Amino acid sequence: MKKNVLIIGAGGVAQVVAHKCAQNNDVLGDLHIASRTKSKCVAIIESVQAKNAMKQEGVFEAHQVDATQSDQVAALIRETGAEIVINVGTAFVNMHVLDGCIETGAAYIDTAIHEEPDKICETPPWYANYEWKKRDLCAEKGVTAILGAGFDPGVVNAFARFAVDRLDEVKSIDIVDINAGSHGKYFATNFDPEINFREFTGVVYYWEDQQWKETTMFASGHEWDLPVVGKQMAYQSGHDEVHSLATNYPQADVRFWMGFGEHYINVFTVLKNIGLLSEHPVTTAEGQEVVPLKVVKACLPDPASLAPEYTGKTCIGDLVKGTKDGAEAEIFVYNVADHKDAYEEVGSQGISYTAGVPPVAAAMLIADGTWDAGTMKNVEELDPKPFFTILDRIGLPTRIRDAEGDRPWNA
Amino acid sequence: MKKNVLIIGAGGVAQVVAHKCAQNNDVLGDLHIASRTKSKCVAIIESVQAKNAMKQEGVFEAHQVDATQSDQVAALIRETGAEIVINVGTAFVNMHVLDGCIETGAAYIDTAIHEEPDKICETPPWYANYEWKKRDLCAEKGVTAILGAGFDPGVVNAFARFAVDRLDEVKSIDIVDINAGSHGKYFATNFDPEINFREFTGVVYYWEDQQWKETTMFASGHEWDLPVVGKQMAYQSGHDEVHSLATNYPQADVRFWMGFGEHYINVFTVLKNIGLLSEHPVTTAEGQEVVPLKVVKACLPDPASLAPEYTGKTCIGDLVKGTKDGAEAEIFVYNVADHKDAYEEVGSQGISYTAGVPPVAAAMLIADGTWDAGTMKNVEELDPKPFFTILDRIGLPTRIRDAEGDRPWNA
């Protein structure tokens, strides 16, 4: 039974992770949080204390760490006695944090794929470029590493597994992510603009007819009619979970669709076409070297600042099609979250909430042994039912809609 | 008779000025060009030589100067024996170059109002913030300083004067600047993006009912039907010449209208609303201090690079209304220029051409004594006819359209 938790990162998602760990510190143990800037960690712990979120008395300490240095991560794991590391730092640190876990034997959980600062949209399947290269080492050392355990990737992988298990044959998995909320700003991204835009500037890979295919952002759109949020346009986007699901279910077409309004697409298109979303430095007339994307990020609202005014709901789910008992069958497995509810509970907006709650559920499943696999796993490789059971209880209930209607997954 | 010319600046307009000075070096004398980066000056002289543009054998030398230092400018004026300085450097250097001229007695010509890097759209009339404070000193020392002698400001001030002189009473002066050309890029500005956007981000001042009024960019639009370019939308913009014309013709409403397509307005609006057109530094997550506007400038095409592919025409003119012999009267005084013709003649696009030819005409009028006023003047305070006569000959013919038809100004 692993218990003590070290959270890496101090952004909007880390804030949710911290609150949820505190609310469940009877199942988990001592809590620690570390980032490049210790004061941000202190502020998060203060917000946990302000909400009186600790379920029982216990440790919650802030630390400074340079998570690009695996030896620093390993030293901090040893110092804190952490048995589970929830990595919700920037995607640039993933492999270094994983290395720190492998070195110390701590379990590793992250919510997004590793990225190198100067590369975008590498060869599919993306996980094979970095994470899966360490799979054999994790197995050999008995280290549990759960990759992509946020909402998407994460819960949507579990949605896919759940649906696939109910079918005789799976033909397609379409993941649809709609944020029908409103933050009231001219323009903002819901998480780190740098990571957000990087998702959309490169090749959009998807899996169809048992092969990788390519499109570009906003080139392939479809109107979806979803529970609660209604009819919404969404566009094929590159996303982590396509790469593991296509590997684990090669017989199915796997696509990811993200909802965007016309205004978002217009702003994105202008910035991209001018070159302002580039991660490659330009030189100003004065000779200063600057990465345009980092300047755009500095101009945009801090995603965490959106929370107090954010209203409306998100709907994220998987439409899975296949056959059952010789007939065509389809099922939509989904969650609806509310921005205002999230803010009231943990001081964060709904996008951070949906990303931050699932890795805590994963940590709880490692702590009780259910998901303590002793090797590297993507979420669809683990039993989804105990995951849904915890998520139902801690804020992200799973529902299904199929020919028999719309209901809780276990109804 | 002043003759030798020193050009300050080495951008797209300086290239035109250099070619036109060379083509008229029988009227002018030795030619010199100086900027922060000497190699740019050398390249301009090479392009003059490549076109075999020198009318007669003569001097054309490149120099390095920091034009924000008036003592460096004065030293260079003395070293080169320059009697006329054509300042087409960045608007940030104007007052320093003017000081260098006042110190040495050289005549001064510029094409745009002085700006301080950290201020935008100061109190109207703009010229009173900097240039006109030196008017008495110029008069006392007998120094000729011709302010705003490009196209707009510059030729359009002469258009206004010409029209006002034909009326008994002037009621309004509307300056309309339409670029109906196409550069084939996603987005580009026709001159330095930094200066270009600064024109549009602040208060738009205009003069109506004998008082300063304010609007904002793109808030006040009007469709104009102009010669050659046809029907075009233009929007009230802040522009230098409004500030001198309103002072010299306070009885007239004075407005400036610039043509923009929907695409330009959309891109501008996105960049402005995000804060990317700000001249105030932001700090990136990595702690780098950056002025967003300078990064946008670095991402956009160099205006000079547009020239080879630029096609189409510009139409810039003044619609002047008033009374003549007791009846309402109106006259449109204008020029049409062609981007491709400009490129073929001097290697520049049409916007640089229209801005760069007039100060050379002004220099020729100083050289022959006609405009050697021995004090500071805005262009409408000088006789427009000799100016038009030279402009007709060197590439920017003036036409008029009124109740009697459309014809050359002197037909």
Side-chain angles (χ1 to χ4, degrees):
Chain A
M1 295 296 151
K2 299 188 175 69
K3 294 213 165 224
N4 297 344
V5 173
L6 168 62
I7 303 163
I8 302 280
V13 177
Q15 160 114 356
V16 177
V17 170
H19 277 260
K20 282 292 167 187
C21 284
Q23 291 173 15
N24 295 283
N25 76 331
D26 55 332
V27 180
L28 305 170
D30 293 351
L31 305 178
H32 298 270
I33 179 167
S35 84
R36 191 169 46 184
T37 311
K38 185 176 169 181
S39 62
K40 290 189 179 177
C41 301
V42 171
I44 285 175
I45 293 174
E46 285 168 357
S47 95
V48 167
Q49 289 163 342
K51 291 269 186 195
N52 205 12
M54 300 283 276
K55 183 156 185 187
Q56 61 186 41
E57 270 199 32
V59 170
F60 204 155
E61 285 174 6
H63 307 266
Q64 197 277 334
V65 72
D66 177 355
T68 65
Q69 306 298 316
S70 61
D71 54 343
Q72 284 194 30
V73 175
L76 187 60
I77 290 170
R78 290 195 180 101
E79 180 196 328
T80 56
E83 293 151 302
I84 301 170
V85 175
I86 301 179
N87 170 27
V88 284
T90 158
F92 304 140
V93 306
N94 286 14
M95 292 309 291
H96 310 292
V97 176
L98 175 59
D99 284 343
C101 288
I102 293 173
E103 191 184 325
T104 56
Y108 173 85
I109 302 170
D110 68 27
T111 65
I113 212 157
H114 180 78
E115 292 192 44
E116 287 293 309
D118 56 347
K119 289 185 187 171
I120 283 187
C121 293
E122 298 176 83
T123 317
W126 286 346
Y127 285 104
N129 295 301
Y130 302 104
E131 288 84 352
W132 289 348
K133 289 181 176 166
K134 300 278 182 173
R135 193 157 43 184
D136 289 347
L137 187 59
C138 285
E140 186 186 311
K141 297 211 167 193
V143 171
T144 297
I146 303 181
L147 303 179
F151 206 100
D152 43 340
V155 177
V156 298
N157 302 53
F159 288 169
R161 164 71 179 269
F162 177 79
V164 168
D165 284 353
R166 290 165 70 103
L167 297 170
D168 296 329
E169 184 196 12
V170 57
K171 290 187 172 169
S172 65
I173 303 168
D174 285 286
I175 302 154
V176 187
D177 179 334
I178 300 292
N179 174 16
S182 170
H183 49 56
K185 307 275 182 189
Y186 174 75
F187 186 82
T189 55
N190 292 304
F191 57 102
D192 184 351
E194 199 174 350
I195 303 298
N196 195 218
F197 285 130
R198 285 168 64 106
E199 278 188 1
F200 310 145
T201 47
V203 174
V204 172
Y205 292 107
Y206 61 103
W207 182 257
E208 253 178 31
D209 307 325
Q210 307 207 27
Q211 58 187 304
W212 289 109
K213 295 188 177 179
E214 299 182 10
T215 182
T216 53
M217 197 61 207
F218 305 123
S220 168
H222 181 77
E223 191 183 67
W224 301 85
D225 191 1
L226 302 186
V228 183
V229 299
K231 287 189 179 174
Q232 300 277 352
M233 274 300 289
Y235 298 83
Q236 273 206 62
S237 314
H239 232 243
D240 307 0
E241 55 270 41
V242 172
H243 297 259
S244 66
L245 290 170
T247 305
N248 285 314
Y249 305 113
Q251 70 276 31
D253 294 341
V254 185
R255 293 168 290 246
F256 180 89
W257 305 81
M258 185 162 277
F260 294 97
E262 285 178 18
H263 175 63
Y264 186 103
I265 295 173
N266 178 45
V267 170
F268 173 85
T269 304
V270 166
L271 296 178
K272 178 166 185 284
N273 282 342
I274 288 181
L276 285 161
L277 301 186
S278 173
E279 74 283 10
H280 299 297
V282 295
T283 306
T284 69
E286 293 73 20
Q288 193 182 17
E289 278 222 336
V290 190
V291 173
L293 179 53
K294 292 184 185 295
V295 179
V296 171
K297 173 177 171 175
C299 288
L300 291 177
D302 177 352
S305 75
L306 305 174
E309 305 301 325
Y310 224 131
T311 57
K313 294 183 193 295
T314 64
C315 177
I316 314 175
D318 295 24
L319 180 65
V320 181
K321 295 185 181 179
T323 55
K324 176 74 179 171
D325 302 328
E328 302 283 319
E330 69 175 64
I331 178 171
F332 185 62
V333 191
Y334 72 98
N335 166 262
V336 170
D338 183 275
H339 289 286
K340 199 161 182 300
D341 291 350
Y343 182 66
E344 285 171 5
E345 184 192 336
V346 300
S348 298
Q349 32 100 335
I351 307 296
S352 299
Y353 191 86
T354 56
V357 171
V360 178
M364 291 161 72
L365 291 172
I366 292 174
D368 75 9
T370 312
W371 273 17
D372 194 11
T375 186
M376 178 178 282
K377 294 282 186 188
N378 288 87
V379 172
E380 68 271 26
E381 299 174 290
L382 296 159
D383 184 358
K385 291 173 186 169
F387 194 38
F388 294 170
T389 301
I390 293 184
L391 289 171
D392 281 352
R393 181 159 56 78
I394 71 171
L396 293 176
T398 298
R399 295 182 64 86
I400 56 176
R401 186 176 72 174
D402 61 12
E404 291 159 47
D406 186 325
R407 61 201 183 279
W409 68 277
N410 52 358
Chain B
M1 296 294 151
K2 299 186 174 71
K3 297 220 167 215
N4 297 344
V5 173
L6 169 62
I7 304 163
I8 302 279
V13 178
Q15 159 115 355
V16 177
V17 170
H19 276 260
K20 281 292 167 188
C21 284
Q23 291 172 14
N24 295 282
N25 76 331
D26 54 333
V27 179
L28 304 169
D30 292 352
L31 305 178
H32 298 271
I33 180 166
S35 84
R36 190 168 46 184
T37 312
K38 186 176 168 183
S39 62
K40 290 189 180 179
C41 301
V42 171
I44 286 176
I45 293 174
E46 285 169 353
S47 96
V48 167
Q49 289 164 340
K51 290 270 187 196
N52 205 13
M54 298 285 274
K55 183 157 185 185
Q56 60 185 41
E57 271 201 29
V59 169
F60 205 154
E61 284 174 5
H63 306 266
Q64 197 278 333
V65 72
D66 178 354
T68 66
Q69 306 298 316
S70 60
D71 54 342
Q72 282 195 30
V73 174
L76 186 60
I77 291 170
R78 290 195 180 100
E79 181 195 328
T80 56
E83 292 152 300
I84 302 170
V85 174
I86 301 179
N87 171 26
V88 285
T90 159
F92 304 141
V93 306
N94 287 14
M95 293 308 291
H96 310 292
V97 176
L98 176 58
D99 284 343
C101 289
I102 293 173
E103 192 183 323
T104 56
Y108 172 84
I109 302 169
D110 67 28
T111 64
I113 212 156
H114 180 79
E115 292 192 46
E116 287 291 310
D118 55 347
K119 289 184 185 170
I120 283 187
C121 291
E122 298 178 83
T123 318
W126 286 346
Y127 285 105
N129 294 303
Y130 302 103
E131 288 83 351
W132 289 347
K133 289 182 176 164
K134 300 278 182 173
R135 192 157 44 184
D136 290 347
L137 187 60
C138 285
E140 187 187 308
K141 298 212 166 193
V143 171
T144 298
I146 303 182
L147 303 178
F151 206 100
D152 42 341
V155 177
V156 298
N157 302 53
F159 287 169
R161 164 71 179 269
F162 177 79
V164 167
D165 285 352
R166 291 164 69 102
L167 298 170
D168 296 328
E169 185 197 11
V170 57
K171 290 187 170 169
S172 64
I173 302 168
D174 285 287
I175 302 154
V176 187
D177 179 334
I178 300 291
N179 174 16
S182 170
H183 49 58
K185 307 275 184 190
Y186 174 75
F187 187 81
T189 56
N190 293 302
F191 57 102
D192 184 350
E194 198 174 351
I195 303 298
N196 194 219
F197 285 130
R198 284 169 65 106
E199 279 188 0
F200 309 144
T201 47
V203 173
V204 172
Y205 291 108
Y206 62 103
W207 182 257
E208 254 180 28
D209 307 326
Q210 307 207 29
Q211 58 187 304
W212 289 109
K213 295 187 177 179
E214 299 180 9
T215 183
T216 53
M217 196 63 206
F218 305 124
S220 169
H222 181 78
E223 191 182 66
W224 302 84
D225 191 1
L226 302 186
V228 182
V229 299
K231 288 190 178 173
Q232 299 278 350
M233 275 300 290
Y235 298 83
Q236 275 207 62
S237 315
H239 233 241
D240 307 1
E241 55 269 42
V242 172
H243 296 258
S244 67
L245 290 168
T247 305
N248 286 315
Y249 306 113
Q251 70 277 29
D253 295 341
V254 184
R255 292 167 292 245
F256 180 90
W257 306 81
M258 186 162 275
F260 294 97
E262 285 178 18
H263 175 62
Y264 185 103
I265 295 173
N266 178 45
V267 170
F268 174 86
T269 303
V270 166
L271 296 179
K272 177 167 185 286
N273 283 342
I274 288 182
L276 285 162
L277 301 186
S278 172
E279 74 283 11
H280 299 298
V282 295
T283 305
T284 68
E286 292 73 20
Q288 192 182 18
E289 278 223 334
V290 190
V291 173
L293 179 53
K294 292 185 185 294
V295 179
V296 171
K297 174 176 171 175
C299 287
L300 291 177
D302 176 352
S305 75
L306 306 175
E309 305 301 326
Y310 224 131
T311 57
K313 294 183 194 294
T314 65
C315 177
I316 315 175
D318 295 25
L319 180 65
V320 181
K321 295 185 182 180
T323 55
K324 177 73 177 171
D325 303 327
E328 302 283 320
E330 68 175 65
I331 177 171
F332 186 63
V333 191
Y334 73 98
N335 165 263
V336 169
D338 183 276
H339 288 287
K340 200 160 180 302
D341 290 352
Y343 181 65
E344 283 170 4
E345 184 191 336
V346 300
S348 298
Q349 33 99 336
I351 307 296
S352 299
Y353 191 86
T354 57
V357 171
V360 178
M364 292 161 71
L365 290 172
I366 292 174
D368 74 11
T370 312
W371 275 17
D372 194 12
T375 186
M376 178 178 282
K377 295 283 187 189
N378 288 86
V379 170
E380 66 272 27
E381 299 174 289
L382 296 158
D383 184 358
K385 291 173 186 169
F387 193 39
F388 293 169
T389 302
I390 293 184
L391 289 172
D392 282 351
R393 182 160 54 78
I394 71 171
L396 293 175
T398 298
R399 295 181 64 86
I400 54 176
R401 185 176 73 174
D402 62 11
E404 290 158 46
D406 187 325
R407 60 201 183 280
W409 67 278
N410 53 356

